[in-house]
Amino acid sequence: DAGVTQSPTHLIKTRGQQVTLRCSPKSGHDTVSWYQQALGQGPQFIFQYYEEEERQRGNFPDRFSGHQFPNYSSELNVNALLLGDSALYLCASSLGQGEAFFGQGTRLTVV
Amino acid sequence: GNSVTQMEGPVTLSEEAFLTINCTYTATGYPSLFWYVQYPGEGLQLLLKATKADDKGSNKGFEATYRKETTSFHLEKGSVQVSDSAVYFCALLIQGAQKLVFGQGTRLTINP
């Protein structure tokens, strides 16, 4: 079982650009959540996807959007990148509201 | 609202010392409580959890008891090892809600 896999592991983008991060959930899981972890802080909930619909959203601007595919994988898109978007982006998957399993994250640096 | 407050780090101990990392919470409902651990360069791993008052979660020698009267979920370990060096996060989940709410994390360093 590969667990939750995220890609890429690291990337560097310029202010104003757009970025797409990808997540493959653990086998058998149908729910994907995304979190932003700024340096030295705890993760902050961005949103959750279930059955290809956004089920709940945290306090993030509309520049942050997502998608879930029929195979339960998910993408996080961030438009008009700001320096403050630099963070570790974590994906977590679960079966419904069961235990959340986290991926290793994508480290995004905005310059 | 819902929030979690952890003791500020970093915490540095010698091997075989006793560990306590304090965690208190504020919640509008009846939360489940969690401790996650993050090793360098990795994502979060669930360490232990408790779903109702007076439950004790335990794993790998770590323990935490859900104390509703003090709204606390302190993490303890009797004898730490160098391999326990990591960042520890306390978190809550409100029943029926969709998201984990995390504390700011406590960095633990164990010296041999």
Short mmCIF file of all heavy atoms in Angstrom, two decimals, chain A residues 34-100:
data_model
loop_
_atom_site.label_atom_id
_atom_site.label_comp_id
_atom_site.label_asym_id
_atom_site.label_seq_id
_atom_site.Cartn_x
_atom_site.Cartn_y
_atom_site.Cartn_z
N TRP A 34 -7.09 19.11 2.24
CA TRP A 34 -5.84 19.85 2.00
C TRP A 34 -5.60 20.80 3.16
O TRP A 34 -6.54 21.46 3.66
CB TRP A 34 -5.92 20.64 0.70
CG TRP A 34 -5.85 19.82 -0.54
CD1 TRP A 34 -6.89 19.28 -1.25
CD2 TRP A 34 -4.65 19.43 -1.24
NE1 TRP A 34 -6.41 18.59 -2.34
CE2 TRP A 34 -5.05 18.67 -2.36
CE3 TRP A 34 -3.28 19.66 -1.03
CZ2 TRP A 34 -4.13 18.13 -3.28
CZ3 TRP A 34 -2.38 19.13 -1.93
CH2 TRP A 34 -2.80 18.38 -3.03
N TYR A 35 -4.33 20.90 3.57
CA TYR A 35 -3.92 21.78 4.65
C TYR A 35 -2.69 22.57 4.20
O TYR A 35 -1.86 22.06 3.45
CB TYR A 35 -3.54 20.97 5.90
CG TYR A 35 -4.71 20.29 6.58
CD1 TYR A 35 -5.21 19.08 6.10
CD2 TYR A 35 -5.31 20.85 7.70
CE1 TYR A 35 -6.29 18.47 6.72
CE2 TYR A 35 -6.38 20.24 8.34
CZ TYR A 35 -6.86 19.05 7.84
OH TYR A 35 -7.91 18.44 8.47
N GLN A 36 -2.59 23.79 4.73
CA GLN A 36 -1.41 24.62 4.51
C GLN A 36 -0.65 24.73 5.83
O GLN A 36 -1.24 25.08 6.86
CB GLN A 36 -1.82 26.03 4.05
CG GLN A 36 -0.64 26.95 3.80
CD GLN A 36 -1.07 28.41 3.70
OE1 GLN A 36 -1.55 29.00 4.66
NE2 GLN A 36 -0.89 29.00 2.51
N GLN A 37 0.64 24.43 5.80
CA GLN A 37 1.46 24.52 7.00
C GLN A 37 2.57 25.53 6.75
O GLN A 37 3.56 25.22 6.10
CB GLN A 37 2.03 23.16 7.39
CG GLN A 37 2.79 23.20 8.71
CD GLN A 37 3.38 21.86 9.11
OE1 GLN A 37 3.37 20.90 8.34
NE2 GLN A 37 3.90 21.78 10.32
N ALA A 38 2.41 26.73 7.31
CA ALA A 38 3.46 27.74 7.22
C ALA A 38 4.61 27.34 8.15
O ALA A 38 4.42 26.58 9.10
CB ALA A 38 2.91 29.10 7.60
N LEU A 39 5.78 27.87 7.88
CA LEU A 39 6.96 27.51 8.65
C LEU A 39 6.76 27.81 10.12
O LEU A 39 6.38 28.92 10.50
CB LEU A 39 8.17 28.27 8.11
CG LEU A 39 9.53 27.77 8.55
CD1 LEU A 39 9.77 26.34 8.06
CD2 LEU A 39 10.63 28.69 8.05
N GLY A 40 6.97 26.80 10.96
CA GLY A 40 6.86 26.98 12.40
C GLY A 40 5.44 27.02 12.93
O GLY A 40 5.23 27.32 14.11
N GLN A 41 4.47 26.71 12.09
CA GLN A 41 3.06 26.74 12.48
C GLN A 41 2.41 25.37 12.32
O GLN A 41 2.98 24.48 11.69
CB GLN A 41 2.29 27.76 11.63
CG GLN A 41 2.83 29.16 11.70
CD GLN A 41 2.71 29.74 13.09
OE1 GLN A 41 1.66 29.59 13.74
NE2 GLN A 41 3.75 30.39 13.57
N GLY A 42 1.22 25.25 12.89
CA GLY A 42 0.45 24.04 12.68
C GLY A 42 -0.30 24.11 11.37
O GLY A 42 -0.53 25.19 10.81
N PRO A 43 -0.69 22.97 10.83
CA PRO A 43 -1.45 22.97 9.57
C PRO A 43 -2.79 23.68 9.72
O PRO A 43 -3.43 23.59 10.77
CB PRO A 43 -1.66 21.47 9.30
CG PRO A 43 -0.58 20.78 10.06
CD PRO A 43 -0.39 21.61 11.29
N GLN A 44 -3.18 24.38 8.66
CA GLN A 44 -4.47 25.08 8.59
C GLN A 44 -5.31 24.44 7.48
O GLN A 44 -4.83 24.27 6.35
CB GLN A 44 -4.27 26.56 8.28
CG GLN A 44 -3.46 27.32 9.33
CD GLN A 44 -4.22 27.49 10.62
OE1 GLN A 44 -5.40 27.81 10.62
NE2 GLN A 44 -3.54 27.29 11.73
N PHE A 45 -6.56 24.13 7.80
CA PHE A 45 -7.46 23.47 6.86
C PHE A 45 -7.82 24.40 5.71
O PHE A 45 -8.25 25.53 5.93
CB PHE A 45 -8.72 23.06 7.61
CG PHE A 45 -9.80 22.44 6.78
CD1 PHE A 45 -9.72 21.11 6.40
CD2 PHE A 45 -10.92 23.17 6.40
CE1 PHE A 45 -10.73 20.52 5.66
CE2 PHE A 45 -11.93 22.60 5.67
CZ PHE A 45 -11.84 21.26 5.29
N ILE A 46 -7.65 23.87 4.47
CA ILE A 46 -8.02 24.65 3.29
C ILE A 46 -9.42 24.24 2.82
O ILE A 46 -10.33 25.06 2.74
CB ILE A 46 -7.00 24.47 2.15
CG1 ILE A 46 -5.59 24.86 2.62
CG2 ILE A 46 -7.42 25.30 0.93
CD1 ILE A 46 -4.51 24.59 1.59
N PHE A 47 -9.57 22.97 2.45
CA PHE A 47 -10.87 22.43 2.06
C PHE A 47 -10.81 20.90 2.01
O PHE A 47 -9.74 20.30 2.12
CB PHE A 47 -11.40 22.97 0.73
CG PHE A 47 -10.40 23.12 -0.37
CD1 PHE A 47 -9.60 22.07 -0.77
CD2 PHE A 47 -10.27 24.33 -1.03
CE1 PHE A 47 -8.68 22.22 -1.79
CE2 PHE A 47 -9.36 24.50 -2.06
CZ PHE A 47 -8.57 23.44 -2.44
N GLN A 48 -12.02 20.32 1.87
CA GLN A 48 -12.15 18.87 1.79
C GLN A 48 -13.04 18.50 0.61
O GLN A 48 -14.05 19.17 0.35
CB GLN A 48 -12.77 18.31 3.07
CG GLN A 48 -12.85 16.79 3.10
CD GLN A 48 -13.48 16.28 4.38
OE1 GLN A 48 -14.69 16.25 4.52
NE2 GLN A 48 -12.63 15.87 5.32
N TYR A 49 -12.68 17.41 -0.05
CA TYR A 49 -13.44 16.91 -1.18
C TYR A 49 -13.94 15.50 -0.92
O TYR A 49 -13.22 14.64 -0.38
CB TYR A 49 -12.59 16.91 -2.46
CG TYR A 49 -12.56 18.27 -3.10
CD1 TYR A 49 -11.65 19.23 -2.67
CD2 TYR A 49 -13.47 18.61 -4.08
CE1 TYR A 49 -11.64 20.49 -3.23
CE2 TYR A 49 -13.46 19.88 -4.65
CZ TYR A 49 -12.54 20.81 -4.21
OH TYR A 49 -12.54 22.06 -4.76
N TYR A 50 -15.19 15.30 -1.30
CA TYR A 50 -15.83 13.98 -1.19
C TYR A 50 -16.80 13.86 -2.35
O TYR A 50 -17.56 14.79 -2.63
CB TYR A 50 -16.55 13.86 0.15
CG TYR A 50 -17.40 12.62 0.30
CD1 TYR A 50 -16.81 11.38 0.46
CD2 TYR A 50 -18.79 12.70 0.29
CE1 TYR A 50 -17.57 10.23 0.60
CE2 TYR A 50 -19.56 11.57 0.43
CZ TYR A 50 -18.95 10.33 0.58
OH TYR A 50 -19.71 9.20 0.72
N GLU A 51 -16.76 12.73 -3.03
CA GLU A 51 -17.62 12.50 -4.20
C GLU A 51 -17.52 13.66 -5.19
O GLU A 51 -18.54 14.15 -5.70
CB GLU A 51 -19.07 12.27 -3.77
CG GLU A 51 -19.25 10.98 -3.00
CD GLU A 51 -20.72 10.64 -2.74
OE1 GLU A 51 -21.56 11.56 -2.83
OE2 GLU A 51 -21.00 9.47 -2.43
N GLU A 52 -16.31 14.11 -5.39
CA GLU A 52 -15.97 15.13 -6.38
C GLU A 52 -16.55 16.51 -6.07
O GLU A 52 -16.54 17.40 -6.92
CB GLU A 52 -16.39 14.69 -7.79
CG GLU A 52 -15.76 13.36 -8.21
CD GLU A 52 -16.19 12.92 -9.60
OE1 GLU A 52 -16.09 13.72 -10.55
OE2 GLU A 52 -16.62 11.76 -9.73
N GLU A 53 -17.04 16.68 -4.83
CA GLU A 53 -17.60 17.96 -4.43
C GLU A 53 -16.81 18.53 -3.26
O GLU A 53 -16.37 17.77 -2.37
CB GLU A 53 -19.07 17.81 -4.02
CG GLU A 53 -20.00 17.34 -5.11
CD GLU A 53 -20.31 18.44 -6.10
OE1 GLU A 53 -20.23 19.62 -5.71
OE2 GLU A 53 -20.61 18.13 -7.27
N GLU A 54 -16.69 19.84 -3.22
CA GLU A 54 -16.07 20.49 -2.06
C GLU A 54 -17.09 20.46 -0.93
O GLU A 54 -18.18 21.03 -1.04
CB GLU A 54 -15.69 21.93 -2.40
CG GLU A 54 -14.99 22.65 -1.25
CD GLU A 54 -14.66 24.10 -1.60
OE1 GLU A 54 -13.81 24.33 -2.47
OE2 GLU A 54 -15.29 25.00 -1.00
N ARG A 55 -16.71 19.82 0.18
CA ARG A 55 -17.67 19.60 1.25
C ARG A 55 -17.59 20.69 2.32
O ARG A 55 -18.58 21.06 2.91
CB ARG A 55 -17.45 18.24 1.87
CG ARG A 55 -18.48 17.89 2.94
CD ARG A 55 -18.70 16.41 3.04
NE ARG A 55 -17.50 15.69 3.46
CZ ARG A 55 -17.51 14.40 3.77
NH1 ARG A 55 -18.61 13.69 3.68
NH2 ARG A 55 -16.41 13.80 4.11
N GLN A 56 -16.38 21.15 2.58
CA GLN A 56 -16.21 22.24 3.53
C GLN A 56 -14.96 23.01 3.17
O GLN A 56 -14.03 22.43 2.60
CB GLN A 56 -16.12 21.72 4.97
CG GLN A 56 -16.07 22.84 6.01
CD GLN A 56 -16.18 22.36 7.43
OE1 GLN A 56 -16.53 21.22 7.67
NE2 GLN A 56 -15.86 23.22 8.39
N ARG A 57 -14.95 24.28 3.52
CA ARG A 57 -13.84 25.14 3.17
C ARG A 57 -13.39 25.92 4.40
O ARG A 57 -14.21 26.36 5.20
CB ARG A 57 -14.27 26.12 2.08
CG ARG A 57 -13.14 26.96 1.52
CD ARG A 57 -13.65 27.88 0.42
NE ARG A 57 -12.54 28.61 -0.19
CZ ARG A 57 -11.85 28.17 -1.23
NH1 ARG A 57 -12.18 27.04 -1.82
NH2 ARG A 57 -10.85 28.87 -1.72
N GLY A 58 -12.08 26.06 4.54
CA GLY A 58 -11.54 26.88 5.60
C GLY A 58 -11.47 28.34 5.18
O GLY A 58 -12.01 28.74 4.15
N ASN A 59 -10.77 29.12 5.97
CA ASN A 59 -10.70 30.56 5.75
C ASN A 59 -9.58 30.91 4.77
O ASN A 59 -8.58 31.51 5.13
CB ASN A 59 -10.49 31.28 7.08
CG ASN A 59 -10.61 32.77 6.96
OD1 ASN A 59 -11.28 33.26 6.05
ND2 ASN A 59 -9.96 33.49 7.85
N PHE A 60 -9.75 30.51 3.54
CA PHE A 60 -8.79 30.80 2.48
C PHE A 60 -9.50 31.50 1.33
O PHE A 60 -10.66 31.23 1.05
CB PHE A 60 -8.14 29.49 1.97
CG PHE A 60 -7.04 29.01 2.88
CD1 PHE A 60 -7.33 28.30 4.03
CD2 PHE A 60 -5.72 29.27 2.58
CE1 PHE A 60 -6.32 27.87 4.88
CE2 PHE A 60 -4.70 28.84 3.41
CZ PHE A 60 -5.01 28.15 4.57
N PRO A 61 -8.78 32.40 0.65
CA PRO A 61 -9.41 33.15 -0.45
C PRO A 61 -9.72 32.26 -1.64
O PRO A 61 -9.25 31.12 -1.74
CB PRO A 61 -8.35 34.20 -0.79
CG PRO A 61 -7.06 33.62 -0.34
CD PRO A 61 -7.39 32.81 0.88
N ASP A 62 -10.50 32.83 -2.56
CA ASP A 62 -10.93 32.09 -3.74
C ASP A 62 -9.77 31.76 -4.68
O ASP A 62 -9.94 30.96 -5.61
CB ASP A 62 -11.97 32.90 -4.51
CG ASP A 62 -13.27 33.01 -3.75
OD1 ASP A 62 -13.47 32.21 -2.80
OD2 ASP A 62 -14.09 33.88 -4.09
N ARG A 63 -8.61 32.36 -4.44
CA ARG A 63 -7.42 32.00 -5.24
C ARG A 63 -7.07 30.52 -5.06
O ARG A 63 -6.39 29.93 -5.89
CB ARG A 63 -6.21 32.84 -4.82
CG ARG A 63 -6.35 34.32 -5.02
CD ARG A 63 -5.04 35.03 -4.73
NE ARG A 63 -4.59 34.88 -3.34
CZ ARG A 63 -3.55 34.14 -2.97
NH1 ARG A 63 -2.84 33.46 -3.84
NH2 ARG A 63 -3.21 34.09 -1.67
N PHE A 64 -7.53 29.96 -3.95
CA PHE A 64 -7.30 28.54 -3.66
C PHE A 64 -8.52 27.77 -4.15
O PHE A 64 -9.66 28.03 -3.72
CB PHE A 64 -7.11 28.31 -2.17
CG PHE A 64 -5.81 28.84 -1.65
CD1 PHE A 64 -5.62 30.20 -1.43
CD2 PHE A 64 -4.75 27.97 -1.36
CE1 PHE A 64 -4.42 30.69 -0.95
CE2 PHE A 64 -3.55 28.46 -0.87
CZ PHE A 64 -3.39 29.81 -0.68
N SER A 65 -8.30 26.85 -5.05
CA SER A 65 -9.39 26.03 -5.56
C SER A 65 -8.90 24.60 -5.68
O SER A 65 -7.70 24.33 -5.65
CB SER A 65 -9.89 26.55 -6.91
OG SER A 65 -8.86 26.45 -7.88
N GLY A 66 -9.87 23.70 -5.83
CA GLY A 66 -9.48 22.30 -5.89
C GLY A 66 -10.38 21.51 -6.80
O GLY A 66 -11.36 22.01 -7.37
N HIS A 67 -10.03 20.25 -6.88
CA HIS A 67 -10.82 19.33 -7.71
C HIS A 67 -10.57 17.92 -7.21
O HIS A 67 -9.46 17.61 -6.75
CB HIS A 67 -10.39 19.46 -9.17
CG HIS A 67 -11.27 18.70 -10.12
ND1 HIS A 67 -12.52 19.13 -10.48
CD2 HIS A 67 -11.07 17.53 -10.76
CE1 HIS A 67 -13.06 18.26 -11.32
NE2 HIS A 67 -12.20 17.27 -11.50
N GLN A 68 -11.61 17.10 -7.32
CA GLN A 68 -11.43 15.67 -7.04
C GLN A 68 -11.90 14.89 -8.26
O GLN A 68 -12.96 15.17 -8.83
CB GLN A 68 -12.21 15.22 -5.80
CG GLN A 68 -11.90 13.77 -5.42
CD GLN A 68 -12.63 13.31 -4.18
OE1 GLN A 68 -13.76 13.73 -3.93
NE2 GLN A 68 -12.00 12.46 -3.40
N PHE A 69 -11.15 13.91 -8.64
CA PHE A 69 -11.43 13.12 -9.83
C PHE A 69 -12.18 11.85 -9.45
O PHE A 69 -12.22 11.46 -8.29
CB PHE A 69 -10.12 12.80 -10.54
CG PHE A 69 -9.39 14.03 -11.01
CD1 PHE A 69 -8.41 14.62 -10.23
CD2 PHE A 69 -9.70 14.63 -12.23
CE1 PHE A 69 -7.75 15.76 -10.64
CE2 PHE A 69 -9.05 15.76 -12.65
CZ PHE A 69 -8.08 16.33 -11.86
N PRO A 70 -12.78 11.18 -10.45
CA PRO A 70 -13.54 9.95 -10.15
C PRO A 70 -12.72 8.88 -9.45
O PRO A 70 -13.27 8.05 -8.74
CB PRO A 70 -14.01 9.48 -11.53
CG PRO A 70 -14.11 10.74 -12.33
CD PRO A 70 -12.97 11.60 -11.86
N ASN A 71 -11.40 8.88 -9.64
CA ASN A 71 -10.57 7.88 -8.95
C ASN A 71 -10.15 8.36 -7.55
O ASN A 71 -9.30 7.75 -6.92
CB ASN A 71 -9.33 7.55 -9.78
CG ASN A 71 -8.37 8.73 -9.90
OD1 ASN A 71 -8.68 9.85 -9.47
ND2 ASN A 71 -7.22 8.50 -10.49
N TYR A 72 -10.76 9.46 -7.08
CA TYR A 72 -10.57 10.04 -5.75
C TYR A 72 -9.30 10.87 -5.61
O TYR A 72 -9.13 11.52 -4.57
CB TYR A 72 -10.62 8.99 -4.63
CG TYR A 72 -11.85 8.13 -4.66
CD1 TYR A 72 -11.75 6.76 -4.90
CD2 TYR A 72 -13.10 8.68 -4.46
CE1 TYR A 72 -12.89 5.97 -4.94
CE2 TYR A 72 -14.25 7.89 -4.50
CZ TYR A 72 -14.14 6.54 -4.74
OH TYR A 72 -15.26 5.75 -4.80
N SER A 73 -8.44 10.87 -6.60
CA SER A 73 -7.28 11.75 -6.52
C SER A 73 -7.74 13.20 -6.56
O SER A 73 -8.88 13.50 -6.93
CB SER A 73 -6.29 11.45 -7.63
OG SER A 73 -6.85 11.80 -8.89
N SER A 74 -6.84 14.09 -6.17
CA SER A 74 -7.25 15.49 -6.02
C SER A 74 -6.14 16.42 -6.45
O SER A 74 -4.95 16.06 -6.46
CB SER A 74 -7.62 15.75 -4.56
OG SER A 74 -7.98 17.10 -4.34
N GLU A 75 -6.55 17.62 -6.83
CA GLU A 75 -5.61 18.70 -7.14
C GLU A 75 -5.96 19.93 -6.31
O GLU A 75 -7.13 20.19 -6.03
CB GLU A 75 -5.69 19.08 -8.63
CG GLU A 75 -5.13 18.05 -9.57
CD GLU A 75 -5.19 18.50 -11.02
OE1 GLU A 75 -5.87 19.51 -11.31
OE2 GLU A 75 -4.56 17.84 -11.85
N LEU A 76 -4.91 20.65 -5.95
CA LEU A 76 -5.06 21.96 -5.31
C LEU A 76 -4.44 22.97 -6.26
O LEU A 76 -3.29 22.80 -6.68
CB LEU A 76 -4.33 21.97 -3.97
CG LEU A 76 -4.06 23.34 -3.33
CD1 LEU A 76 -5.37 24.03 -2.96
CD2 LEU A 76 -3.16 23.21 -2.11
N ASN A 77 -5.20 23.99 -6.60
CA ASN A 77 -4.73 25.05 -7.48
C ASN A 77 -4.67 26.36 -6.70
O ASN A 77 -5.59 26.68 -5.95
CB ASN A 77 -5.66 25.23 -8.68
CG ASN A 77 -5.78 23.97 -9.50
OD1 ASN A 77 -4.85 23.56 -10.17
ND2 ASN A 77 -6.95 23.34 -9.43
N VAL A 78 -3.59 27.07 -6.90
CA VAL A 78 -3.47 28.40 -6.30
C VAL A 78 -3.11 29.38 -7.41
O VAL A 78 -2.12 29.19 -8.12
CB VAL A 78 -2.41 28.45 -5.20
CG1 VAL A 78 -2.45 29.82 -4.50
CG2 VAL A 78 -2.61 27.34 -4.18
N ASN A 79 -3.95 30.40 -7.57
CA ASN A 79 -3.73 31.43 -8.59
C ASN A 79 -3.09 32.67 -7.97
O ASN A 79 -3.17 32.89 -6.76
CB ASN A 79 -5.06 31.83 -9.23
CG ASN A 79 -5.68 30.69 -10.00
OD1 ASN A 79 -4.97 29.93 -10.67
ND2 ASN A 79 -6.98 30.56 -9.90
N ALA A 80 -2.48 33.48 -8.84
CA ALA A 80 -1.94 34.78 -8.42
C ALA A 80 -1.13 34.64 -7.14
O ALA A 80 -1.42 35.28 -6.12
CB ALA A 80 -3.08 35.78 -8.24
N LEU A 81 -0.12 33.81 -7.19
CA LEU A 81 0.66 33.47 -6.00
C LEU A 81 1.24 34.71 -5.33
O LEU A 81 1.72 35.66 -5.99
CB LEU A 81 1.79 32.53 -6.38
CG LEU A 81 1.38 31.08 -6.61
CD1 LEU A 81 2.50 30.31 -7.30
CD2 LEU A 81 0.99 30.40 -5.31
N LEU A 82 1.20 34.67 -3.99
CA LEU A 82 1.80 35.70 -3.14
C LEU A 82 2.97 35.08 -2.38
O LEU A 82 3.02 33.86 -2.18
CB LEU A 82 0.77 36.23 -2.16
CG LEU A 82 -0.52 36.80 -2.74
CD1 LEU A 82 -1.49 37.14 -1.61
CD2 LEU A 82 -0.24 38.01 -3.59
N LEU A 83 3.88 35.96 -1.92
CA LEU A 83 4.98 35.45 -1.13
C LEU A 83 4.48 34.66 0.08
O LEU A 83 5.07 33.66 0.48
CB LEU A 83 5.88 36.60 -0.66
CG LEU A 83 6.62 37.37 -1.75
CD1 LEU A 83 7.45 38.50 -1.13
CD2 LEU A 83 7.51 36.45 -2.57
N GLY A 84 3.36 35.12 0.65
CA GLY A 84 2.80 34.49 1.83
C GLY A 84 2.20 33.12 1.58
O GLY A 84 1.82 32.44 2.54
N ASP A 85 2.12 32.71 0.33
CA ASP A 85 1.63 31.37 0.02
C ASP A 85 2.73 30.33 0.18
O ASP A 85 2.47 29.13 0.06
CB ASP A 85 1.07 31.31 -1.41
CG ASP A 85 -0.15 32.19 -1.60
OD1 ASP A 85 -0.88 32.40 -0.61
OD2 ASP A 85 -0.35 32.68 -2.72
N SER A 86 3.95 30.76 0.42
CA SER A 86 5.05 29.83 0.64
C SER A 86 4.77 29.00 1.89
O SER A 86 4.54 29.56 2.97
CB SER A 86 6.37 30.58 0.82
OG SER A 86 6.73 31.28 -0.35
N ALA A 87 4.74 27.69 1.73
CA ALA A 87 4.37 26.81 2.84
C ALA A 87 4.53 25.37 2.40
O ALA A 87 4.81 25.07 1.24
CB ALA A 87 2.92 27.05 3.25
N LEU A 88 4.32 24.47 3.37
CA LEU A 88 4.20 23.04 3.09
C LEU A 88 2.71 22.74 2.93
O LEU A 88 1.91 23.07 3.81
CB LEU A 88 4.79 22.23 4.23
CG LEU A 88 4.75 20.71 4.10
CD1 LEU A 88 5.66 20.24 2.97
CD2 LEU A 88 5.13 20.04 5.41
N TYR A 89 2.34 22.17 1.80
CA TYR A 89 0.94 21.84 1.54
C TYR A 89 0.76 20.34 1.75
O TYR A 89 1.40 19.53 1.08
CB TYR A 89 0.52 22.28 0.15
CG TYR A 89 0.41 23.78 0.07
CD1 TYR A 89 1.54 24.56 -0.17
CD2 TYR A 89 -0.80 24.42 0.32
CE1 TYR A 89 1.45 25.95 -0.20
CE2 TYR A 89 -0.90 25.80 0.28
CZ TYR A 89 0.24 26.56 0.03
OH TYR A 89 0.14 27.93 0.02
N LEU A 90 -0.11 20.01 2.68
CA LEU A 90 -0.34 18.63 3.06
C LEU A 90 -1.68 18.14 2.56
O LEU A 90 -2.68 18.86 2.67
CB LEU A 90 -0.29 18.49 4.58
CG LEU A 90 1.05 18.75 5.25
CD1 LEU A 90 0.87 18.92 6.75
CD2 LEU A 90 2.02 17.63 4.96
N CYS A 91 -1.69 16.94 2.06
CA CYS A 91 -2.91 16.27 1.66
C CYS A 91 -3.17 15.15 2.65
O CYS A 91 -2.24 14.45 3.07
CB CYS A 91 -2.75 15.71 0.25
SG CYS A 91 -4.07 14.64 -0.30
N ALA A 92 -4.41 14.99 3.04
CA ALA A 92 -4.80 13.90 3.92
C ALA A 92 -5.97 13.16 3.31
O ALA A 92 -6.87 13.79 2.75
CB ALA A 92 -5.18 14.44 5.30
N SER A 93 -5.96 11.86 3.39
CA SER A 93 -7.08 11.09 2.88
C SER A 93 -7.69 10.26 4.00
O SER A 93 -7.04 9.95 5.00
CB SER A 93 -6.66 10.19 1.72
OG SER A 93 -5.93 9.06 2.14
N SER A 94 -8.96 9.93 3.81
CA SER A 94 -9.67 9.11 4.79
C SER A 94 -10.81 8.39 4.09
O SER A 94 -11.17 8.73 2.96
CB SER A 94 -10.22 9.97 5.93
OG SER A 94 -11.13 10.93 5.44
N LEU A 95 -11.35 7.40 4.78
CA LEU A 95 -12.57 6.76 4.31
C LEU A 95 -13.70 7.44 5.05
O LEU A 95 -13.85 7.25 6.28
CB LEU A 95 -12.54 5.26 4.59
CG LEU A 95 -13.81 4.50 4.20
CD1 LEU A 95 -14.08 4.63 2.70
CD2 LEU A 95 -13.69 3.03 4.58
N GLY A 96 -14.46 8.26 4.38
CA GLY A 96 -15.44 9.08 5.05
C GLY A 96 -14.78 9.95 6.09
O GLY A 96 -13.77 10.60 5.83
N GLN A 97 -15.31 9.94 7.32
CA GLN A 97 -14.74 10.73 8.41
C GLN A 97 -13.88 9.88 9.34
O GLN A 97 -13.71 10.21 10.51
CB GLN A 97 -15.86 11.42 9.19
CG GLN A 97 -16.60 12.46 8.36
CD GLN A 97 -15.65 13.44 7.71
OE1 GLN A 97 -14.83 14.09 8.36
NE2 GLN A 97 -15.71 13.54 6.38
N GLY A 98 -13.32 8.81 8.78
CA GLY A 98 -12.41 7.99 9.55
C GLY A 98 -11.06 8.65 9.74
O GLY A 98 -10.87 9.83 9.41
N GLU A 99 -10.09 7.89 10.24
CA GLU A 99 -8.76 8.42 10.51
C GLU A 99 -8.14 9.01 9.25
O GLU A 99 -8.19 8.42 8.17
CB GLU A 99 -7.86 7.32 11.04
CG GLU A 99 -6.42 7.77 11.32
CD GLU A 99 -5.55 6.63 11.79
OE1 GLU A 99 -6.09 5.64 12.32
OE2 GLU A 99 -4.31 6.73 11.62
N ALA A 100 -7.54 10.18 9.43
CA ALA A 100 -6.87 10.86 8.32
C ALA A 100 -5.43 10.43 8.23
O ALA A 100 -4.72 10.40 9.23
CB ALA A 100 -6.95 12.37 8.51
#
